[in-house]
Amino acid sequence: MNSSFHTSYKLIVAVIALLAVQVSYAQEEESTIGTEVVNVVKAYTPTIRDAFKVKATPQLNDSITTAKKKVTYSIFSVPVASTFTPAKGKAAVVKKAKKEKLYDNYATLGFGSFTSVLAEFYSNFQISRTEDFGVFLNHNSSQGGIDGTVVDDFFYDSRLNLNYGARERDLTWRADLDAKHQVYNWYGIPEELKELQGPADGPLFTEDFDVTHSYLTAGLNGSISLKDSFFKEATGMVRYFGDDLESTELRAVVAPTVEFPIAGELITTKLSVDYLSGSFANSFGTTGTEINYSFLNAGINPSLVILRDDLEVKLGVEGVVSLDTENSETDFFIYPKIAASYRVAGDYFIAYGGLEGGLIQNNYHDFAQENPFISPTLIVAPTNKQYDGFLGMKGKLSEALSYNLRASYASESGKALYQHNPYSQSGNNFGQNGYENGNSFGIVYDDVNTLGVFAELNFDVNANFKMKLNGQFNSYATDTQTEAWNLPDLQASLFADYQITEQWFAGVNVFFTGERQDLVFSQDPVDILTPSSIETLESYFDVNAHVGYRFNNRLSAFARVNNILDSNYQKWLNYEVQGLQGMVGATYKFDF
């Protein structure tokens, strides 16, 4: 063992000696040592120390601290006998309103004072899932009996409508055939002529004196609308209108609407073509002098609707070419079509305004429907409504009350005004025609500016009670005429309907018309065309009410009372209306 130790020792000494020789040799070979910076980089090794949480309840070595006592408790359970068994939950049942059965047909029949009759019939046939056909018939008549009249004052108004409609996936269209027959009397004979003597040495104006005239209307109306097409919709109308004194009128209107996208916006363009032609057999006071009229109007109205949050703006313009073919005259008109609205406070306050105009094609049919006592000797011409500017506000005062206020100013060139006709001058012979005895109206045209204020309130309290109240005040400025004849300064109306119970219902309508002016000509047969004076027609209230009772969903009865105030007011000069009127009737609904 000692021998091997000595051997190892000698080996270690030899290795150390050898290394010493090598180091000595290297130092001799490089005699100078340079400076050098050595950066020792060691990776950061984070360590986590033990954390000690502060005790929520530290121990206090205080002499006044009271030691807590150990509390020992136990729960004493007592069994309770119970027979309660929970029931399964059920969903609440909503009481459904009873669905009212709708019938395809109904008939109404009523009789009243002045030997008046009201009859209505409506029937609808569902031909297929997309097609239907309807029939509507209405008749309203009275045998007259107005106090103070010396000639017949009865009237008849009968109308028939046949309609057919179809609803396809991309196409909807409808056609209506209308026919109407109306009979009236020029019963407004002035007081100073009622005692006029006739050839038989008796009163000229009696029930045997013919003042009856009738109107006949026949028309075809149609409409069509398409989906997903630049051609949006179109309406059309062809109408014949005439009377029993050889007056005729034909009107045809076509109005398509197309839409085109331009620069990311949708431009809606309305086109229209309006043709009117008519004639009267006589001029007023002259027999055999025929009056003819004919107009062709073509218009284009492009418009753009801009929607920005609460702002809606419609920008448009309309150009119309009007050709008076009877007089070989052509006119061109440009009208603004601008409207805007802004929701200032949601549905509670909406401000709106606009500037619009248009060409109004007057015609014999519309004149006769508004005033059935006109004479068949009219000059028919269009009215150029240059502009109508308006500002207003509308909205809701509450969930049950809404309002609308508007102020406007309009300028119209050639506005049509009804004016009382003078006596006949045919050989100074009264009664040559039924309308030439100071008992008819003609048309005069004038430039009229109108300042108007309109207000309306709508009460929608609940499904059983609704009421609407509105009023319109106008101030007129004429150019050549002394007054805006037969135009009232103030008009107002009230409509109310009340569903009292499931069976009882009632309603009331009230109309107010302010004073109007008309022209009275001289009573002297030699100088009958000289205006004598301006007569003011008094304002009037017309109060009407109705009440009804439903026996079941098929049969109901009604009662109506018109002109409750029993006022014999004059709607037109020398034309008093019937006084207090009553009517009772019934309505029956059914299916074939």
Side-chain angles (χ1 to χ4, degrees):
M1 182 179 181
N2 292 332
S3 172
S4 59
F5 171 78
H6 286 291
T7 304
S8 300
Y9 176 78
K10 291 179 181 180
L11 180 59
I12 292 172
V13 171
V15 170
I16 293 173
L18 181 61
L19 291 173
V21 172
Q22 290 293 333
V23 169
S24 174
Y25 176 77
Q27 289 178 346
E28 290 177 358
E29 203 169 309
E30 186 176 351
S31 59
T32 60
I33 298 175
T35 62
E36 184 176 356
V37 178
V38 178
N39 294 325
V40 179
V41 179
K42 181 180 180 182
Y44 172 70
T45 304
T47 59
I48 300 176
R49 285 176 167 269
D50 294 335
F52 298 94
K53 182 180 179 181
V54 178
K55 293 183 178 180
T57 306
Q59 294 182 356
L60 302 177
N61 296 323
D62 198 336
S63 60
I64 63 174
T65 303
T66 302
K68 294 183 179 180
K69 293 183 179 182
K70 184 177 180 181
V71 179
T72 303
Y73 62 91
S74 61
I75 300 175
F76 181 67
S77 301
V78 178
V80 178
S82 175
T83 59
F84 171 75
T85 302
K88 295 181 179 180
K90 294 182 179 180
V93 178
V94 179
K95 187 177 180 180
K96 297 181 180 180
K98 185 178 179 180
K99 186 177 180 180
E100 183 178 356
K101 179 175 174 56
L102 301 178
Y103 295 93
D104 292 333
N105 316 280
Y106 79 86
T108 298
L109 185 62
F111 300 93
S113 58
F114 299 96
T115 320
S116 57
V117 177
L118 172 65
E120 284 186 0
F121 173 78
Y122 175 78
S123 182
N124 183 76
F125 303 92
Q126 195 68 33
I127 300 175
S128 66
R129 187 176 60 87
T130 60
E131 298 173 291
D132 64 274
F133 175 76
V135 179
F136 176 71
L137 177 64
N138 172 270
H139 172 80
N140 188 17
S141 64
S142 173
Q143 297 306 310
I146 301 174
D147 293 338
T149 59
V150 295
V151 293
D152 286 330
D153 57 348
F154 62 85
F155 76 88
Y156 295 90
D157 191 336
S158 301
R159 307 184 182 196
L160 173 66
N161 174 269
L162 306 176
N163 59 81
Y164 176 85
R167 301 169 300 278
E168 305 294 340
R169 185 180 64 178
D170 299 324
L171 172 67
T172 301
W173 66 276
R174 177 163 292 276
D176 293 80
L177 177 63
D178 289 305
K180 181 168 50 180
H181 181 243
Q182 300 166 289
V183 180
Y184 297 95
N185 285 276
W186 288 294
Y187 65 87
I189 304 295
E191 289 293 332
E192 59 272 15
L193 293 183
K194 289 181 179 179
E195 301 299 327
L196 189 66
Q197 296 295 306
D201 295 330
L204 173 64
F205 299 107
T206 65
E207 291 185 357
D208 294 330
F209 186 82
D210 188 13
V211 291
T212 303
H213 60 287
S214 62
Y215 300 118
L216 179 63
T217 306
L220 179 63
N221 306 288
S223 63
I224 184 173
S225 61
L226 283 79
K227 296 181 180 179
D228 303 326
S229 173
F230 75 95
F231 183 86
K232 186 177 181 182
E233 61 182 7
T235 59
M237 179 265 288
V238 178
R239 182 183 66 211
Y240 167 84
F241 182 71
D243 59 30
D244 59 343
L245 297 175
E246 302 180 18
S247 305
T248 60
E249 181 179 80
L250 179 65
R251 190 180 188 189
V253 179
V254 178
T257 301
V258 297
E259 290 183 341
F260 293 100
I262 299 179
E265 299 289 347
L266 196 62
I267 305 297
T268 301
T269 303
K270 297 181 179 180
L271 307 172
S272 64
V273 178
D274 187 347
Y275 174 75
L276 178 70
S277 178
S279 65
F280 298 104
N282 301 305
S283 300
F284 187 83
T286 304
T287 302
T289 305
E290 189 175 353
I291 300 176
N292 297 304
Y293 56 93
S294 179
F295 296 91
L296 177 62
N297 305 318
I300 181 171
N301 171 213
S303 62
L304 168 67
V305 176
I306 301 174
L307 301 175
R308 297 293 185 271
D309 296 329
D310 294 327
L311 177 65
E312 179 177 350
V313 179
K314 179 181 178 181
L315 302 176
V317 64
E318 182 180 21
V320 179
V321 177
S322 179
L323 175 62
D324 182 352
T325 58
E326 192 65 31
N327 298 311
S328 301
E329 296 180 358
T330 303
D331 294 310
F332 181 72
F333 305 95
I334 296 291
Y335 299 108
K337 296 286 185 180
I338 302 172
S341 64
Y342 181 72
R343 294 180 177 271
V344 181
D347 292 335
Y348 292 92
F349 179 30
I350 302 174
Y352 66 92
L355 184 66
E356 298 180 346
L359 187 68
I360 303 173
Q361 182 57 70
N362 299 308
N363 56 87
Y364 185 32
H365 172 270
D366 293 351
F367 288 149
Q369 299 309 301
E370 185 175 9
N371 182 355
F373 310 112
I374 59 174
S375 64
T377 57
L378 307 178
I379 302 297
V380 176
T383 296
N384 175 20
K385 193 172 187 178
Q386 298 166 325
Y387 60 84
D388 183 1
F390 57 91
L391 291 173
M393 57 182 181
K394 60 183 178 180
K396 298 190 301 184
L397 298 176
S398 67
E399 291 300 324
L401 178 61
S402 61
Y403 66 92
N404 186 9
L405 301 174
R406 182 179 70 241
S408 62
Y409 185 81
S411 178
E412 297 174 277
S413 176
K415 182 178 179 63
L417 304 172
Y418 297 104
Q419 186 184 81
H420 191 251
N421 280 330
Y423 308 132
S424 170
Q425 59 176 340
S426 302
N428 298 333
N429 180 21
F430 293 102
Q432 180 157 335
N433 289 302
Y435 55 84
E436 293 183 334
N437 301 283
N439 58 342
S440 66
F441 298 84
I443 297 293
V444 294
Y445 296 90
D446 195 12
D447 297 342
V448 180
N449 295 331
T450 306
L451 175 64
V453 178
F454 173 81
E456 183 178 70
L457 290 175
N458 279 283
F459 300 87
D460 194 356
V461 179
N462 50 48
N464 295 328
F465 180 70
K466 300 179 186 297
M467 184 173 67
K468 180 170 69 173
L469 173 66
N470 60 48
Q472 175 79 44
F473 172 79
N474 291 324
S475 177
Y476 305 100
T478 57
D479 184 21
T480 59
Q481 299 294 322
T482 307
E483 299 285 347
W485 309 118
N486 287 291
L487 293 181
D489 293 334
L490 179 62
Q491 287 181 296
S493 61
L494 181 147
F495 303 90
D497 288 294
Y498 182 39
Q499 184 71 41
I500 304 172
T501 65
E502 187 176 350
Q503 287 78 31
W504 287 97
F505 59 93
V508 61
N509 302 328
V510 181
F511 303 95
F512 173 80
T513 301
E515 294 182 345
R516 293 134 292 141
Q517 286 74 37
D518 208 335
L519 195 61
V520 178
F521 288 84
S522 172
Q523 303 176 25
D524 184 358
V526 180
D527 193 20
I528 59 176
L529 294 181
T530 301
S532 175
S533 62
I534 295 175
E535 185 163 337
T536 298
L537 281 73
E538 296 181 356
S539 59
Y540 63 87
F541 274 100
D542 192 345
V543 183
N544 313 288
H546 68 272
V547 63
Y549 182 80
R550 292 187 180 92
F551 297 96
N552 49 53
N553 52 356
R554 283 180 178 268
L555 180 63
S556 62
F558 64 88
R560 299 177 184 175
V561 181
N562 295 335
N563 196 2
I564 295 177
L565 301 180
D566 194 22
S567 57
N568 295 323
Y569 61 84
Q570 296 184 21
K571 185 174 181 180
W572 305 98
L573 183 60
N574 298 325
Y575 281 89
E576 292 186 352
V577 300
Q578 295 174 339
L580 181 66
Q581 309 156 42
M583 174 176 284
V584 294
T587 298
Y588 182 71
K589 303 175 184 178
F590 59 96
D591 285 332
F592 286 117

